[in-house]
Amino acid sequence: MDSRTPVIERTVQRLVADWSSLPEERRPWATWVLLWGPLETHEALEVPHPTVPLLGAWFLTDSGYVRRDVWSYLRFRAIQYSPITRYPLANPVAVLEIAPYRDSRALYAAGHFGPLHAYGMRTELDANGQLTEHRFWVS
């Protein structure tokens, strides 16, 4: 088991809980759950075409998780950032993403629930094994 596995699992649980707890009229019907490769800074994922490798992609609905080919998500992202789309990631499908910081046990995590409801944060486990978070941005 990778030393980051506990913080990855807890962070995914946190992001999924946020998605699940949205009121039905505001909750996207499904969400992508993504695991990216190591980052230097969180800005590396805040571009239309990240150079960070996508290591895993899952599609989550009320029925559960389905592992998907990473190219399925990359196609979805390309469509969202196309010139004909007004708002990146403004879709009835949410995007939850995590990526470890290079040379750190901390993660970057972001939840994109719509054009006016998203956030990005740094998460890590404290000495007591509790998940801590520091938000970088909120929309």
Side-chain angles (χ1 to χ4, degrees):
M1 175 164 74
D2 183 297
S3 65
R4 291 185 181 135
T5 300
V7 71
I8 289 171
E9 290 173 351
R10 300 278 301 279
T11 301
V12 169
Q13 289 170 353
R14 166 76 167 79
L15 292 170
V16 170
D18 283 355
W19 169 72
S20 297
S21 68
L22 290 172
E24 189 172 327
E25 67 276 3
R26 288 187 43 225
R27 183 166 59 102
W29 71 274
T31 183
W32 286 98
V33 179
L34 309 171
L35 175 61
W36 294 91
L39 305 172
E40 293 295 330
T41 67
H42 65 274
E43 288 89 357
L45 290 182
E46 296 170 10
V47 297
H49 306 289
T51 58
V52 178
L54 181 57
L55 304 178
W58 296 262
F59 199 71
L60 175 62
T61 66
D62 288 333
S63 300
Y65 286 94
V66 175
R67 178 86 187 227
R68 299 291 299 269
D69 184 282
V70 297
W71 294 106
S72 297
Y73 171 73
L74 293 174
R75 179 181 180 279
F76 169 85
R77 186 179 182 105
I79 291 169
Q80 294 307 300
Y81 278 103
S82 76
I84 60 172
T85 304
R86 288 185 161 256
Y87 302 104
L89 302 175
N91 188 288
V93 175
V95 176
L96 309 177
E97 52 191 348
I98 59 170
Y101 286 106
R102 194 175 313 282
D103 303 322
S104 172
R105 295 183 111 177
L107 301 178
Y108 172 67
H112 304 272
F113 306 103
L116 300 176
H117 186 187
Y119 60 82
M121 63 185 173
R122 177 187 177 103
T123 64
E124 56 193 317
L125 297 180
D126 66 15
N128 298 320
Q130 298 299 310
L131 188 69
T132 63
E133 61 183 61
H134 170 73
R135 293 215 176 181
F136 293 123
W137 59 270
V138 176
S139 71

